[in-house]
Amino acid sequence: MKYQDTIAAIAVSSKNGSISVIRISGEDSLKIVSEIFFDAQKKNIDLENCPTHTIQYGFIQKEKEEILDEVLILIMKAPRSYTAEDVVEIQCHGGAFICQQILGLLVRKGVRIAEPGEFTKRAFLNGRLDLSQAESVMDVIQSKSEAALKNSLSQLKGTVKEKIVFLREMMLQDLAFLEAALDDPEHLSLENFSSTMEEHAKKLQDEVNELIKNSDNGRIIKEGVRTAIIGRPNVGKSSFLNCILRDDRAIVTDIPGTTRDTLEEELKIGETLLQLIDTAGIRDTEDKIESIGIEKAKKSVADADFILAIVDSSRELSEEDIHVFDLMEGKPGIILLNKSDLASVLTPEQIQKKTDRKVFLFSAATGEGLKELEAYLKELFLFDKVSCQDEIYITNIRQKQALYEAAESLTKLRETIEAGMPEDLYSIDLYYAYEALGKIIGETVEDDIIDKIFREFCMGK
């Protein structure tokens, strides 16, 4: 696909630092930049006749032979560029004023300022990237851990695309045979096709369900482990958060019910990102505001991937503590027996009579037990044991929704087969599954969805 307009944006900026990069893409990019690019003798450098993937040295010049900046220019001719169009990158001195001056020159020559994500959108529309690869570009930029970066780079290389194309090809073969047999029953028989279709549908459903299952790990790899810190009031939840962050982020007092809302912070443990959520103390209360905080705490538990329950070792185990243990049901988590620096009246053995959770002695006041806890969490969430090159982890909500749609259609297909319905009905649900998977790689997605996806990108990308 060719575009009539040429676009430009600041792709890399160091603000008032040393270097900025302005990216220009489009059919006229080489011609337009040549008009403002000169050598030391103030002669125009014809970039259209320069070899691709070379760097040219010279000066950006305004009208009346006024030199604006000394620059390096990288030439990438179509189709060997990010957008698969002619691309020029101007490496100029850093500083917002210089960049805006050069952009102004380009605009006066007919260049349009690019919209957010427009370079990647052109790469997608020109067939250089499929939609799953395009979406992984922003995941690479926004990666917060080594595991997230590895997974995003794997998707950028096309692992998701390869898998989806393989599954759709299986569906297409069955769809093509079914349509041909229905059109020409004299030469192509559908005898025993129902059993063949049932076998294929089950295999496809298993493959799709595996991708859905792995998407939960994909979200954790991308966003981090949602970790709720819970307990009754004044057991030291906020003190624990400050301790593990090594920063006074949460307000700490001896007044029960100080925390009335959730407080979220990020923490890297090894190569894993934890999304720590400090919550309100869980207890029965008549205070309406505190009650709202407690409900939010319970929701945080329901949404969490992991629970850190905190108990006060200087006080007897209470019904409120038992209620906290009950809230952990069905969720992975551990118990921290806090305030180990004080005289203890509660032991790990007493807690383990009420729950089989692992118990750690801990002191948020002194940091005792912090190293042991961090070592345990690092081992527990050691994602580098998982090879992102061997497994596909869908991290994108839109893609996951498409997988659910495909799985639902395959379920309906199997129900149709098991009900002994005519073979011509098979193609309906199989086609819907085929279309749903096509949304992941952009084969069947609507234009407005594509526009929305790329509007969420950063400028210059």
Side-chain angles (χ1 to χ4, degrees), residues 230 301-302 307 322-332 354-357:
I230 65 171
V301 172
I307 309 294
I322 302 301
H323 180 51
V324 168
F325 299 161
D326 291 339
L327 288 175
M328 298 174 70
E329 190 67 32
K331 294 277 185 177
K354 302 294 183 180
T355 175
D356 59 357
R357 303 281 179 173

Side-chain angles (χ1 to χ4, degrees), residues 53-250:
H53 290 79
T54 58
I55 295 176
Q56 306 297 321
Y57 165 77
F59 302 87
I60 297 295
Q61 188 169 296
K62 295 174 68 175
E63 293 81 359
K64 299 180 181 179
E65 299 186 349
E66 179 185 351
I67 291 177
L68 182 60
D69 197 13
E70 182 180 19
V71 301
L72 293 175
I73 286 184
L74 172 61
I75 302 166
M76 292 170 281
K77 295 183 179 180
R80 295 173 56 202
S81 73
Y82 182 72
T83 61
E85 302 172 335
D86 286 341
V87 170
V88 178
E89 290 188 353
I90 301 174
Q91 187 179 111
C92 60
H93 289 97
F97 179 76
I98 292 175
C99 287
Q100 292 303 321
Q101 288 286 301
I102 295 174
L103 277 176
L105 274 178
L106 293 169
V107 168
R108 288 196 289 275
K109 294 291 183 180
V111 172
R112 173 173 62 78
I113 300 299
E115 297 174 357
E118 192 168 0
F119 292 100
T120 306
K121 183 179 180 180
R122 289 194 175 193
F124 163 66
L125 294 175
N126 288 331
R128 202 187 79 78
L129 301 174
D130 79 284
L131 197 54
S132 67
Q133 289 174 299
E135 288 175 314
S136 71
V137 170
M138 279 307 296
D139 288 342
V140 169
I141 294 170
Q142 296 172 353
S143 294
K144 297 178 181 178
S145 68
E146 184 177 348
L149 179 59
K150 285 181 179 178
N151 188 62
S152 299
L153 288 173
S154 175
Q155 292 190 18
L156 184 57
K157 291 177 183 178
T159 53
V160 172
K161 177 184 178 181
E162 290 175 6
K163 185 68 172 182
I164 298 303
V165 168
F166 170 74
L167 295 177
R168 294 183 90 221
E169 183 61 31
M170 288 177 62
M171 296 176 180
L172 192 60
Q173 289 178 5
D174 285 329
L175 281 168
F177 177 81
L178 185 57
E179 293 298 325
L182 291 171
D183 289 341
D184 189 8
E186 292 184 6
H187 296 90
L188 294 172
S189 173
L190 287 173
E191 186 178 356
N192 296 325
F193 182 72
S194 60
S195 60
T196 301
M197 189 71 257
E198 163 65 17
E199 181 182 338
H200 290 179
K202 183 181 183 305
K203 182 177 180 181
L204 287 164
Q205 193 173 39
D206 289 344
E207 295 271 11
V208 171
N209 285 337
E210 183 67 19
L211 289 173
I212 292 173
K213 177 184 174 184
N214 282 348
S215 68
D216 291 332
N217 284 334
R219 178 193 57 74
I220 291 173
I221 290 172
K222 178 182 178 180
E223 300 175 6
V225 181
R226 286 194 298 244
T227 307
I229 305 168
I230 65 171
R232 62 172 168 159
N234 264 28
V235 294
K237 298 183 297 299
S238 296
S239 296
F240 165 76
L241 180 67
N242 291 341
C243 178
I244 198 167
L245 291 175
R246 295 167 175 82
D247 187 20
D248 290 335
R249 283 294 296 116

Side-chain angles (χ1 to χ4, degrees), residues 241-242 249-251 259 261-265 276-279:
L241 180 67
N242 291 341
R249 283 294 296 116
I251 296 173
T259 303
D261 200 352
T262 55
L263 174 63
E264 299 188 19
E265 291 290 334
L276 296 172
I277 307 165
D278 185 21
T279 64

Side-chain angles (χ1 to χ4, degrees), residues 357-454:
R357 303 281 179 173
K358 188 174 182 64
V359 180
F360 281 84
L361 288 172
F362 192 83
S363 171
T366 66
E368 179 187 350
L370 180 59
K371 289 183 178 179
E372 291 79 5
L373 174 63
E374 288 178 331
Y376 174 79
L377 294 175
K378 182 178 180 180
E379 179 66 24
L380 185 65
F381 299 125
L382 197 58
F383 279 117
D384 57 3
K385 287 182 177 177
V386 179
S387 172
C388 294
Q389 296 177 349
D390 297 334
E391 294 285 347
I392 297 174
Y393 296 99
I394 298 291
T395 59
N396 184 284
I397 294 175
R398 185 193 66 82
Q399 295 174 20
K400 187 175 181 179
Q401 180 59 41
L403 289 174
Y404 277 120
E405 292 174 12
E408 183 179 1
S409 295
L410 290 169
T411 297
K412 291 179 179 178
L413 171 60
R414 295 185 67 185
E415 290 172 352
T416 299
I417 296 170
E418 290 169 5
M421 303 295 282
E423 287 87 349
D424 57 347
L425 297 179
Y426 298 175
S427 60
I428 298 173
D429 293 316
L430 187 57
Y431 180 75
Y432 283 149
Y434 180 82
E435 289 280 286
L437 292 183
K439 293 179 182 179
I440 295 175
I441 57 176
E443 292 288 342
T444 59
V445 71
E446 297 84 356
D447 289 343
D448 58 336
I449 300 297
I450 291 174
D451 290 340
K452 180 180 182 298
I453 289 168
F454 290 106

